[in-house]
Amino acid sequence: MGYFADFFEKRNRSPRDTEEEYQNDLQVLEALRKLGADLVPVKIETEIPVGALSFILTSESAASFDELTRSNEDELLVRQDSFAWPNTFRKNRFVPAVEYIQANRLRRLLAQEIHTLFQEYDVIVTPSFGGAQLLITNLTGQPVVVVPNGFRKNGTPTSISFLGNLYDEATILAVAKAYQEATEWDERHPKLPN
């Protein structure tokens, strides 16, 4: 089993990450070792400008919600700031087709690189928001299962992600199930008001 070692290091974490998130992620590695996993450090190394490809996903979401946008009912959605979905849908209607197609050519190369990397591992574990892995897996179609791995002081849950090979959801689901059975995080629930 691989793990994106860089994303578990404190210096590579988002400044928004809490100490609880960091510690919860480290405890996942320990739990997996106790289950018998041989954790091998893995790096995502690509020269493809992954961040620049994010407009592919927002353009696809704009296409999915085209009817909502054209009906102007998107104005009924609560959030309307510049990064809210309604405005993302609106602005991505103006992405030039040539740029979208060129970006998808890079997306295909990225998918090939990631597929090659994943051939060496059945599962790769990573903090859910570590590095660019969330964007990469959305672009390449790698299956991902996200499970709770603890809670913050304010009672909200934190999570860990298990990534797998294309068309092999069964393996990551089996690992996630084993992890959940070895821990109690999936049994705990936030307190809801009466």
Side-chain angles (χ1 to χ4, degrees):
M1 176 183 300
Y3 73 105
F4 288 136
D6 286 352
F7 304 157
F8 283 91
E9 291 180 15
K10 204 168 205 171
R11 64 184 169 84
N12 295 328
R13 310 272 303 198
S14 165
R16 294 178 297 167
D17 281 357
T18 64
E19 183 64 22
E20 295 99 342
E21 289 170 282
Y22 174 66
Q23 292 301 323
N24 291 349
D25 289 345
L26 293 179
Q27 289 174 15
V28 170
L29 298 179
E30 193 55 40
L32 292 172
R33 286 184 182 106
K34 285 180 182 175
L35 287 170
D38 180 24
L39 295 171
V40 178
V42 180
K43 284 187 177 203
I44 296 179
E45 296 179 319
T46 183
E47 292 186 18
I48 295 172
V50 177
L53 301 181
S54 65
F55 80 91
I56 294 172
L57 299 179
T58 53
S59 295
E60 290 173 354
S61 66
S64 295
F65 290 93
D66 185 52
E67 185 177 334
L68 177 70
T69 303
R70 286 146 97 20
S71 71
N72 291 326
E73 289 184 13
D74 58 349
E75 293 176 358
L76 300 174
L77 297 174
V78 175
R79 281 192 57 214
Q80 293 291 331
D81 59 77
S82 61
F83 295 106
W85 283 114
N87 287 314
T88 300
F89 300 154
R90 293 177 194 122
K91 71 182 175 189
N92 278 279
R93 295 183 54 75
F94 299 100
V95 170
V98 172
E99 301 305 325
Y100 181 79
I101 291 168
Q102 295 291 24
N104 272 289
R105 289 178 176 157
L106 285 176
R107 180 188 201 175
R108 179 68 186 136
L109 294 175
L110 177 66
Q112 290 171 331
E113 285 182 12
I114 298 302
H115 179 68
T116 299
L117 170 68
F118 273 76
Q119 291 305 293
E120 298 179 38
Y121 306 96
D122 291 332
V123 176
I124 296 177
V125 63
T126 183
S128 294
F129 299 101
Q133 67 80 18
L134 185 58
L135 176 58
I136 289 172
T137 55
N138 272 279
L139 288 167
T140 65
Q142 302 304 130
V144 178
V145 62
V146 180
V147 296
N149 70 339
F151 287 82
R152 295 176 193 89
K153 286 181 185 173
N154 68 5
T156 58
T158 61
S159 65
I160 196 75
S161 294
F162 297 100
L163 290 63
N165 284 290
L166 296 174
Y167 311 110
D168 189 20
E169 289 84 354
T171 301
I172 60 172
L173 290 172
V175 170
K177 182 178 187 293
Y179 171 75
Q180 287 189 306
E181 288 175 348
T183 63
E184 81 272 0
W185 304 119
D186 61 313
E187 302 297 324
R188 292 184 49 196
H189 305 282
K191 292 180 183 175
L192 299 174
N194 291 334

